[in-house]
Amino acid sequence: DAGVIQSPRHEVTEMGQEVTLRCKPISGHNSLFWYRQTMMRGLELLIYFNNNVPIDDSGMPEDRFSAKMPNASFSTLKIQPSEPRDSAVYFCASRGQYNRVETQYFGPGTRLLVL
Amino acid sequence: ILNVEQSPQSLHVQEGDSTNFTCSFPSSNFYALHWYRWETAKSPEALFVMTLNGDEKKKGRISATLNTKEGYSYLYIKGSQPEDSATYLCAWGDAGNMLTFGGGTRLMVKP
């Protein structure tokens, strides 16, 4: 299995531009999570989906952030308009079995820099 | 708000030293404790998932113990190697597998 796939791996954009981050979870995993990692806050959960339905988006910072999961194999996180304080590494994770207990498998992350 | 704390924040050891660090978490409504290893510029990688009080898990030179009654877990590395340098994250997981992460312990092993 290829694991969780994220694209792009790196994104540099200018303030005010729209940014779209993409994630393909591991096949067969029913839950998908978007996290943001910053130096100040560490790893924080933004939103998670169960069977493609958003369950908890309380971690989404503000209306500029939106996430969708149109099907079981694809999710997007969109920032519009982007701001310099959005610069961070964004991770996607999907949930599956690990030694017969469920855990989350992380993608490689998208490193976003907003100038 | 759940409080998952890890100590120390960072640790420098010499190659060959054994080391350990701590994760403390709320003992009420406990479901699972997850340990991840996170190398720079990579993604967190699952090491252990522990659910039972007294659980001990081992993977090579790395092992972990769990005390759910007092709310702590220890991660041990025996004979540290430079390739063990990484951030070690623990996360408290609820029944829905929502994870609350600690701040991590950054381990640096000098050759």
Side-chain angles (χ1 to χ4, degrees), chain A residues 6-13 19-22 34-39 79 86-92 107-115, chain B residues 38-44:
Chain A
Q6 289 186 250
S7 65
R9 294 292 304 275
H10 302 271
E11 176 85 21
V12 181
T13 191
V19 173
T20 300
L21 312 181
R22 296 172 178 80
W34 281 101
Y35 290 91
R36 178 170 67 175
Q37 184 229 349
T38 61
M39 288 293 291
I79 309 172
D86 302 330
S87 299
V89 182
Y90 291 81
F91 286 99
C92 173
T110 294
R111 191 172 294 271
L112 173 65
L113 178 62
V114 183
L115 302 172
Chain B
W38 193 1
E39 288 183 72
T40 303
K42 294 188 178 179
S43 55

Coordinates of all heavy atoms in Angstrom, one line a residue, chain A residues 6-13 19-22 34-39 79 86-92 107-115, chain B residues 38-44:
Chain A
Q6 N -0.3 12.9 -0.1 CA -0.7 14.3 0.0 C 0.0 15.0 -1.2 O 1.1 14.7 -1.5 CB -0.3 14.9 1.3 CG -1.1 14.5 2.5 CD -0.8 15.2 3.7 OE1 -0.2 14.7 4.7 NE2 -1.1 16.5 3.8
S7 N -0.7 16.0 -1.7 CA -0.1 16.9 -2.7 C -0.6 18.3 -2.6 O -1.8 18.5 -2.1 CB -0.4 16.3 -4.1 OG -1.8 16.4 -4.4
P8 N 0.1 19.3 -2.9 CA 1.6 19.2 -3.2 C 2.4 18.9 -1.9 O 1.8 19.0 -0.8 CB 1.9 20.5 -3.8 CG 0.9 21.5 -3.1 CD -0.3 20.7 -2.9
R9 N 3.6 18.6 -2.1 CA 4.5 18.5 -0.9 C 4.9 19.8 -0.4 O 5.1 20.0 0.8 CB 5.7 17.6 -1.2 CG 5.3 16.2 -1.6 CD 4.8 15.4 -0.4 NE 5.7 15.4 0.8 CZ 6.8 14.6 0.9 NH1 7.0 13.7 0.0 NH2 7.6 14.7 2.0
H10 N 5.1 20.7 -1.3 CA 5.5 22.1 -0.9 C 4.7 23.1 -1.7 O 4.4 22.8 -2.9 CB 7.0 22.3 -1.2 CG 7.9 21.4 -0.5 ND1 8.4 21.6 0.7 CD2 8.4 20.2 -0.9 CE1 9.2 20.6 1.0 NE2 9.2 19.7 0.1
E11 N 4.3 24.2 -1.1 CA 3.5 25.2 -1.7 C 4.0 26.6 -1.2 O 4.0 26.8 0.0 CB 2.0 25.0 -1.5 CG 1.1 26.1 -2.0 CD 0.7 25.8 -3.5 OE1 0.8 24.6 -3.9 OE2 0.3 26.7 -4.2
V12 N 4.4 27.4 -2.2 CA 4.7 28.8 -1.8 C 3.7 29.7 -2.6 O 3.6 29.5 -3.8 CB 6.1 29.2 -2.2 CG1 6.5 30.6 -1.8 CG2 7.1 28.2 -1.5
T13 N 3.1 30.6 -1.9 CA 2.1 31.4 -2.5 C 2.1 32.8 -1.9 O 2.7 33.0 -0.9 CB 0.7 30.8 -2.4 OG1 -0.3 31.5 -3.2 CG2 0.2 30.8 -0.9
V19 N -5.4 28.5 -1.8 CA -4.5 27.3 -1.7 C -5.4 26.1 -1.5 O -6.3 26.1 -0.7 CB -3.6 27.5 -0.5 CG1 -2.8 26.2 -0.3 CG2 -2.7 28.7 -0.6
T20 N -5.1 25.1 -2.3 CA -5.9 23.8 -2.2 C -4.9 22.7 -1.9 O -4.0 22.4 -2.7 CB -6.7 23.5 -3.4 OG1 -7.6 24.5 -3.6 CG2 -7.4 22.2 -3.2
L21 N -5.1 22.0 -0.8 CA -4.3 20.9 -0.4 C -5.1 19.6 -0.6 O -6.3 19.6 -0.3 CB -3.8 21.0 1.1 CG -3.3 22.3 1.5 CD1 -2.9 22.3 3.0 CD2 -2.1 22.7 0.6
R22 N -4.4 18.6 -1.1 CA -5.1 17.3 -1.4 C -4.6 16.1 -0.6 O -3.5 16.1 -0.3 CB -5.0 17.1 -2.9 CG -5.6 18.1 -3.8 CD -5.2 18.0 -5.3 NE -5.9 19.0 -6.1 CZ -5.4 20.2 -6.2 NH1 -4.3 20.6 -5.6 NH2 -6.1 21.1 -6.9
W34 N -7.5 16.1 9.2 CA -6.6 17.1 8.7 C -6.0 17.8 10.0 O -6.7 18.2 10.9 CB -7.3 18.2 7.9 CG -7.5 17.8 6.5 CD1 -8.7 17.4 5.9 CD2 -6.6 17.9 5.4 NE1 -8.6 17.1 4.6 CE2 -7.3 17.4 4.2 CE3 -5.3 18.2 5.3 CZ2 -6.6 17.4 3.0 CZ3 -4.6 18.2 4.1 CH2 -5.3 17.7 2.9
Y35 N -4.6 17.9 10.0 CA -3.9 18.5 11.1 C -3.1 19.6 10.5 O -2.7 19.6 9.4 CB -3.0 17.5 11.8 CG -3.6 16.4 12.6 CD1 -3.9 15.2 12.0 CD2 -3.9 16.5 13.9 CE1 -4.5 14.1 12.7 CE2 -4.5 15.5 14.7 CZ -4.7 14.3 14.0 OH -5.3 13.3 14.8
R36 N -2.8 20.5 11.4 CA -1.8 21.6 11.1 C -0.7 21.6 12.2 O -1.0 21.5 13.4 CB -2.5 23.0 11.1 CG -1.6 24.1 10.8 CD -2.3 25.4 10.6 NE -3.0 25.9 11.8 CZ -3.7 27.0 11.8 NH1 -3.7 27.8 10.7 NH2 -4.3 27.4 12.9
Q37 N 0.5 21.7 11.7 CA 1.6 21.7 12.7 C 2.4 23.0 12.6 O 2.8 23.4 11.5 CB 2.6 20.6 12.4 CG 3.8 20.5 13.4 CD 5.1 20.4 12.8 OE1 5.3 20.2 11.6 NE2 6.1 20.6 13.6
T38 N 2.5 23.7 13.7 CA 3.2 24.9 13.8 C 4.2 24.8 15.0 O 3.9 24.0 15.9 CB 2.3 26.2 14.0 OG1 1.6 26.0 15.2 CG2 1.4 26.3 12.8
M39 N 5.2 25.7 15.0 CA 6.1 25.7 16.2 C 5.4 26.1 17.5 O 5.6 25.5 18.5 CB 7.2 26.7 15.9 CG 8.2 26.2 14.8 SD 9.2 24.8 15.3 CE 10.2 25.6 16.6
I79 N -7.8 27.0 1.5 CA -7.7 28.2 2.3 C -7.9 29.4 1.3 O -7.2 29.5 0.3 CB -6.3 28.4 2.9 CG1 -5.9 27.1 3.7 CG2 -6.2 29.6 3.8 CD1 -4.5 27.1 4.2
D86 N -1.0 31.5 8.0 CA -1.4 30.2 7.7 C -0.2 29.3 7.3 O -0.3 28.1 7.1 CB -2.3 30.2 6.4 CG -3.6 31.0 6.7 OD1 -4.0 31.1 7.8 OD2 -4.1 31.6 5.7
S87 N 1.0 29.9 7.3 CA 2.2 29.1 6.9 C 2.4 28.0 8.0 O 2.5 28.3 9.2 CB 3.4 30.0 6.9 OG 3.2 31.0 5.9
A88 N 2.5 26.8 7.6 CA 2.6 25.7 8.5 C 2.8 24.4 7.6 O 2.8 24.5 6.4 CB 1.3 25.5 9.3
V89 N 2.9 23.3 8.3 CA 2.9 22.0 7.6 C 1.5 21.4 7.9 O 1.1 21.3 9.1 CB 4.0 21.0 8.1 CG1 3.9 19.7 7.4 CG2 5.3 21.6 8.0
Y90 N 0.8 21.0 6.9 CA -0.5 20.4 7.0 C -0.5 18.9 6.7 O 0.0 18.5 5.7 CB -1.5 21.1 6.0 CG -1.8 22.6 6.3 CD1 -0.8 23.6 6.0 CD2 -2.9 22.9 7.1 CE1 -1.1 24.9 6.4 CE2 -3.1 24.2 7.4 CZ -2.2 25.2 7.1 OH -2.4 26.5 7.5
F91 N -0.9 18.2 7.7 CA -0.9 16.7 7.6 C -2.3 16.2 7.4 O -3.3 16.7 8.0 CB -0.3 16.1 8.8 CG 1.2 16.2 8.9 CD1 1.7 17.2 9.8 CD2 2.0 15.4 8.2 CE1 3.1 17.3 9.9 CE2 3.4 15.5 8.4 CZ 3.9 16.5 9.2
C92 N -2.4 15.1 6.6 CA -3.6 14.4 6.5 C -3.3 13.0 7.1 O -2.2 12.5 6.9 CB -4.0 14.3 5.0 SG -5.4 13.2 4.6
G107 N 0.1 11.1 6.4 CA 0.7 11.4 5.1 C 2.0 12.2 5.3 O 2.3 12.5 6.4
P108 N 2.7 12.5 4.2 CA 4.0 13.1 4.3 C 3.9 14.6 4.6 O 4.9 15.3 4.9 CB 4.6 12.9 2.9 CG 3.5 12.7 2.0 CD 2.4 12.1 2.8
G109 N 2.7 15.2 4.5 CA 2.5 16.6 4.8 C 2.7 17.5 3.6 O 3.4 17.1 2.7
T110 N 2.1 18.7 3.7 CA 2.3 19.7 2.7 C 2.8 20.9 3.5 O 2.2 21.4 4.4 CB 1.0 20.1 2.0 OG1 0.5 19.1 1.3 CG2 1.2 21.4 1.2
R111 N 4.0 21.3 3.1 CA 4.6 22.5 3.7 C 4.2 23.7 3.0 O 4.5 23.9 1.8 CB 6.2 22.3 3.7 CG 6.9 23.3 4.5 CD 8.4 23.0 4.6 NE 8.6 21.7 5.2 CZ 8.9 21.6 6.5 NH1 8.9 22.6 7.3 NH2 9.1 20.4 7.1
L112 N 3.4 24.6 3.6 CA 2.8 25.8 3.0 C 3.5 27.0 3.5 O 3.7 27.2 4.7 CB 1.3 25.9 3.3 CG 0.6 27.1 2.9 CD1 0.6 27.3 1.4 CD2 -0.8 27.2 3.5
L113 N 3.9 27.9 2.6 CA 4.5 29.2 2.9 C 3.7 30.2 2.2 O 3.6 30.2 1.0 CB 6.0 29.2 2.5 CG 6.7 30.5 2.8 CD1 6.7 30.9 4.3 CD2 8.1 30.5 2.3
V114 N 3.1 31.1 3.0 CA 2.4 32.2 2.4 C 3.2 33.5 2.6 O 3.5 33.9 3.8 CB 1.0 32.3 3.1 CG1 0.2 33.5 2.4 CG2 0.2 31.0 3.0
L115 N 3.5 34.1 1.5 CA 4.4 35.3 1.6 C 3.6 36.6 1.7 O 2.4 36.7 1.3 CB 5.3 35.4 0.4 CG 6.2 34.2 0.2 CD1 6.9 34.2 -1.1 CD2 7.2 34.1 1.3
Chain B
W38 N 8.6 10.7 15.0 CA 8.5 11.7 14.0 C 9.8 12.2 13.7 O 10.4 13.0 14.4 CB 7.6 12.8 14.5 CG 7.1 13.7 13.5 CD1 7.3 13.7 12.1 CD2 6.3 14.9 13.7 NE1 6.7 14.8 11.5 CE2 6.0 15.5 12.5 CE3 5.7 15.4 14.8 CZ2 5.3 16.6 12.3 CZ3 4.9 16.5 14.7 CH2 4.7 17.1 13.5
E39 N 10.4 11.8 12.5 CA 11.7 12.3 12.1 C 11.5 13.6 11.3 O 10.4 13.8 10.7 CB 12.3 11.3 11.1 CG 12.8 10.0 11.8 CD 13.5 9.1 10.8 OE1 14.6 9.5 10.4 OE2 13.0 8.1 10.5
T40 N 12.5 14.4 11.4 CA 12.4 15.7 10.7 C 12.1 15.5 9.2 O 12.7 14.6 8.6 CB 13.8 16.4 10.9 OG1 14.1 16.5 12.3 CG2 13.7 17.8 10.3
A41 N 11.2 16.3 8.7 CA 10.8 16.4 7.3 C 10.1 15.1 6.9 O 9.9 14.9 5.7 CB 12.0 16.6 6.4
K42 N 9.7 14.3 7.8 CA 8.8 13.1 7.5 C 7.5 13.2 8.3 O 7.3 14.2 8.9 CB 9.6 11.8 7.9 CG 10.8 11.6 7.0 CD 11.4 10.3 7.3 CE 12.6 10.0 6.4 NZ 13.2 8.7 6.7
S43 N 6.7 12.2 8.1 CA 5.4 12.2 8.8 C 5.5 11.3 10.1 O 6.3 10.4 10.1 CB 4.3 11.7 7.9 OG 4.6 10.5 7.4
P44 N 4.7 11.6 11.1 CA 4.7 10.7 12.3 C 4.3 9.3 11.9 O 3.4 9.0 11.1 CB 3.5 11.3 13.1 CG 3.4 12.8 12.7 CD 3.7 12.7 11.2

